[in-house]
Amino acid sequence: MRSSEYINKDEVAIIGGGPAGMQTALVLSARGFSVRIYEQKEQLGGHLKGWHHLFPHGVAASDLLGALKEQVLARAIPLHLGQTVDHLQKVGEGWELWQGETVVGRAGVVVLANGFALFDARRKEEYGYGLYPSVLTSADLEAVFRKERPWPFGPDCAAPQIGFVHCVGSRDLKCGSPHCSKLCCVTAVKQAMAVKAFFPEAQVYCFYMDLRMHGLEYEELYRKAQVDYGVRFIRGRLSEAAPGQGKRLHVKAEDTLQGRPLHLQLDMLVLMSGMVPTFVLEQQERAVFFKEPVFGSGFVPVQGFLAAGSVVQQKGLFASGACKGPATLPEVFADAAAVACEVEQYLKSLKAVAHA
Amino acid sequence: MPKPDFGFSFAPNRALELSVPLLPEVQAVLEAEPSIRACMACGQCAAVCTAGVFTPLAFYRLVLQLWAGEVEVVGQRAQHCMLCGKCQMTCPRGVNIRNALLLMAALLPPKP
Ligand SMILES: Cc1cc2nc3c(=O)[nH]c(=O)nc-3n(C[C@H](O)[C@H](O)[C@H](O)COP(=O)(O)OP(=O)(O)OC[C@H]3O[C@@H](n4cnc5c(N)ncnc54)[C@H](O)[C@@H]3O)c2cc1C
Ligand code: SF4
Ligand code: SF4
Ligand code: SF4
């Protein structure tokens, strides 16, 4: 029988080496705790490593990621790369981390920082993602900016017509995602401006339902896109994309402010895919399994109002970053620091009990 | 005798008067199909509607006009619906559009 001695109660295991995982680890390490990061990929960085530049100021994603990684290295935080934790087993007050049939780690506290997944745009069949090469997701467009894939139209096309569709797989009960992904509006604005910077002659349209410019300086960015970049915002939904003239796409939409249907020929259509959970927790009495999400699955459920990092019904299990729901990087960093504080409080409360 | 021209004319007041209660027939439609309240006027229903290309039918506009008490216009425009159900398949808010349109169409008095 394994006793609870077998686990170092003060050790914190972080699942996910994205921005949330790295920042939570950095704050805990700076406060003197021993932390480890378990990351399923061979590299740290999460989604950040696929982005080109960041809203609202256009900071290079690689600069931010480089700075984070440097700090993780400087603190000599142990990294377990290429390890996909698929369930946790409670042992005493602590946890064992499992990948398939093997234990990959043990810790007193586990912090989930497994992030989000991008909505699979193929599920909105009417937009033709995966069918027409000129239909991209917002993530694909970041890869184009990073020169990891080509523009979907030829160099002869100096004045491309480009459309962005907001809310793809968000705010949509038919997709099982009732939530707003919160940052795709400003991402569309950021990307629309970037496209105009590449192709000054381009005409860019954003098809939106509501424009959610909730963050610091997002509204200013939106105005800049209108005034300085000439991006046209059309309040309405696309019904479908189909092959058009030549290599172009033919899209149909409703302009809800005009109250009239509209038609448009495009060289590129960008779908602002929403953020969805990477896994759902199946909670058992002494174990937590990470399962494939199904239709309508929610993000990691946390409890409390001020203490928003501890996972419902599980002592010693916390969640940080976008695994709890859509979040921007500044929000992720603030949240990671708050979660680290909660973890510290929790560890101190255990010690107080032990000494009583 | 021609009317004197004073350089201006009177037009009916266009302002929406939200302080007056909803018409009873509007309330009846909303009660019979409460999902109408979930409409966010995104326009997806109209984007897919074939009838709307050639007629003034656009379901989200009928919802707005219903709230504004324009029952006659709503009743008339609802007549253009073919009840194909495409709109309902795509509505992101799960509005029961076909039933709503049947209720709206019934706002017109039956033809003698
Ligand atoms: C198109 C797009 C553009 C964006 N642009 C910006 C921007 O310009 N500015 C901005 O502030 N924000 C932006 N964001 C948001 C930003 O990407 C997120 O805030 C951030 O990535 C969230 O960090 P995270 O660590 O919580 O999650 P993630 O980045 O998703 O990282 C999670 C990590 O956990 C790992 N993981 C998952 N499951 C397991 C497991 N079982 N075991 C081990 N490891 C696991 C993953 O491999 C990954 O490395 C954008 C988002 C999108 C979709
Ligand atoms: S942020 Fe904008 S595009 Fe994204 S889901 Fe919300 S409203 Fe839609
Ligand atoms: S698709 Fe649904 S939510 Fe959108 S305008 Fe039509 S009825 Fe309203
Ligand atoms: S059911 Fe009526 S409103 Fe809906 S798409 Fe068909 S014709 Fe248009």
Side-chain angles (χ1 to χ4, degrees):
Chain A
M1 178 73 205
R2 295 164 304 198
S3 76
S4 49
E5 301 302 308
Y6 157 88
I7 281 172
N8 177 358
K9 278 203 199 113
D10 288 339
E11 174 112 10
V12 182
I14 297 188
I15 301 178
M22 285 192 275
Q23 180 70 0
T24 313
L26 285 170
V27 178
L28 281 168
S29 160
R31 308 212 30 102
F33 294 89
S34 145
V35 288
R36 290 167 178 278
I37 296 178
Y38 296 81
E39 166 57 51
Q40 67 185 4
K41 301 272 167 63
E42 292 302 331
Q43 278 171 39
L44 293 176
H47 282 93
L48 182 57
K49 57 177 188 293
W51 306 156
H52 178 259
H53 63 284
L54 305 171
F55 57 75
H57 298 127
V59 169
S62 55
D63 285 357
L64 177 64
L65 181 55
L68 278 171
K69 278 188 181 169
E70 218 167 86
Q71 290 179 61
V72 170
L73 277 181
R75 294 213 151 266
I77 294 169
L79 303 176
H80 300 261
L81 300 176
Q83 299 208 324
T84 311
V85 178
D86 57 30
H87 75 280
L88 304 171
Q89 193 79 43
K90 193 116 209 186
V91 178
E93 296 261 29
W95 299 96
E96 270 174 355
L97 284 68
W98 288 75
Q99 170 171 18
E101 300 295 308
T102 42
V103 179
V104 292
R106 313 178 174 91
V109 169
V110 171
V111 179
L112 301 175
N114 54 282
F116 66 95
L118 213 62
F119 171 80
D120 179 1
R122 282 172 305 187
R123 284 175 55 201
K124 290 291 282 184
E125 281 173 20
E126 58 272 37
Y127 296 155
Y129 183 67
L131 211 59
Y132 312 126
S134 36
V135 182
L136 275 65
T137 64
S138 45
D140 297 338
L141 186 56
E142 291 289 322
V144 174
F145 294 158
R146 290 169 61 89
K147 301 194 168 64
E148 288 163 5
R149 59 183 284 170
W151 291 94
F153 43 83
D156 49 319
C157 186
Q161 302 280 308
I162 292 162
F164 286 82
V165 188
H166 291 228
C167 308
V168 175
S170 303
R171 307 177 67 193
D172 194 339
L173 299 181
K174 299 278 156 70
C175 296
S177 323
H179 65 273
C180 160
S181 293
K182 182 170 148 180
L183 51 77
C184 11
C185 271
V186 64
T187 300
V189 168
K190 170 190 92 172
Q191 295 187 333
M193 288 166 64
V195 165
K196 281 288 283 185
F198 277 104
F199 303 97
E201 300 302 316
Q203 182 55 60
V204 183
Y205 304 89
C206 287
F207 290 90
Y208 70 97
M209 298 204 266
D210 297 284
L211 282 173
R212 298 196 161 158
M213 297 296 151
H214 59 92
L216 208 59
E217 295 186 38
Y218 295 1
E219 179 66 17
E220 288 85 336
L221 207 66
Y222 166 30
R223 183 171 174 277
K224 212 169 159 183
Q226 289 178 291
V227 179
D228 299 345
Y229 289 76
V231 177
R232 280 182 61 186
F233 290 85
I234 296 174
R235 189 187 180 284
R237 297 294 288 164
L238 240 66
S239 61
E240 63 181 60
Q245 294 158 3
K247 283 184 184 162
R248 286 188 153 180
L249 287 167
H250 180 75
V251 303
K252 290 186 195 163
E254 169 80 5
D255 181 331
T256 62
L257 298 180
Q258 289 282 358
R260 287 169 62 182
L262 73 78
H263 297 170
L264 188 63
Q265 300 275 334
L266 292 177
D267 297 292
M268 176 169 86
L269 182 67
V270 186
L271 308 179
M272 304 313 294
S273 285
M275 293 160 92
V276 295
T278 42
F279 56 57
V280 282
L281 296 183
E282 191 183 292
Q283 308 204 29
Q284 297 179 5
E285 213 186 304
R286 299 198 58 77
V288 176
F289 289 85
F290 306 157
K291 290 281 168 69
E292 273 290 302
V294 291
F295 184 87
S297 290
F299 291 91
V300 173
V302 286
Q303 58 196 353
F305 178 61
L306 291 175
S310 61
V311 176
V312 175
Q313 286 168 3
Q314 294 290 344
K315 269 187 86 181
L317 182 60
F318 295 81
S320 176
C323 64
K324 293 184 285 192
T328 64
L329 290 162
E331 289 167 340
V332 163
F333 294 138
D335 182 60
V339 170
C341 274
E342 277 177 51
V343 169
E344 182 170 352
Q345 294 295 331
Y346 171 77
L347 287 170
K348 282 185 176 157
S349 72
L350 290 186
K351 282 227 168 79
V353 172
H355 290 274
Chain B
M1 206 180 98
K3 279 188 194 160
D5 181 6
F6 295 114
F8 64 89
S9 61
F10 287 100
N13 187 351
R14 295 179 63 242
L16 295 170
E17 195 48 75
L18 287 191
S19 327
V20 296
L22 287 178
L23 296 174
E25 53 268 50
V26 171
Q27 259 170 21
V29 171
L30 290 170
E31 264 160 46
E33 190 43 73
S35 71
I36 293 172
R37 290 176 183 273
C39 174
M40 56 176 165
C42 68
Q44 184 75 63
C45 46
V48 299
C49 177
T50 320
V53 179
F54 303 106
T55 73
L57 170 64
F59 177 71
Y60 70 102
R61 292 194 101 78
L62 301 200
V63 174
L64 297 171
Q65 286 158 333
L66 185 75
W67 283 110
E70 296 168 16
V71 286
E72 244 195 71
V73 183
V74 172
Q76 277 160 7
R77 295 192 172 171
Q79 311 294 324
H80 297 299
C81 171
M82 314 175 284
L83 294 176
C84 68
K86 265 206 283 183
C87 50
Q88 200 159 327
M89 270 170 63
T90 66
C91 170
R93 282 285 177 89
V95 178
N96 189 349
I97 301 178
R98 275 200 296 190
N99 190 38
L101 278 162
L102 286 172
L103 294 164
M104 286 170 170
L107 286 170
L108 277 193
K111 287 202 187 107

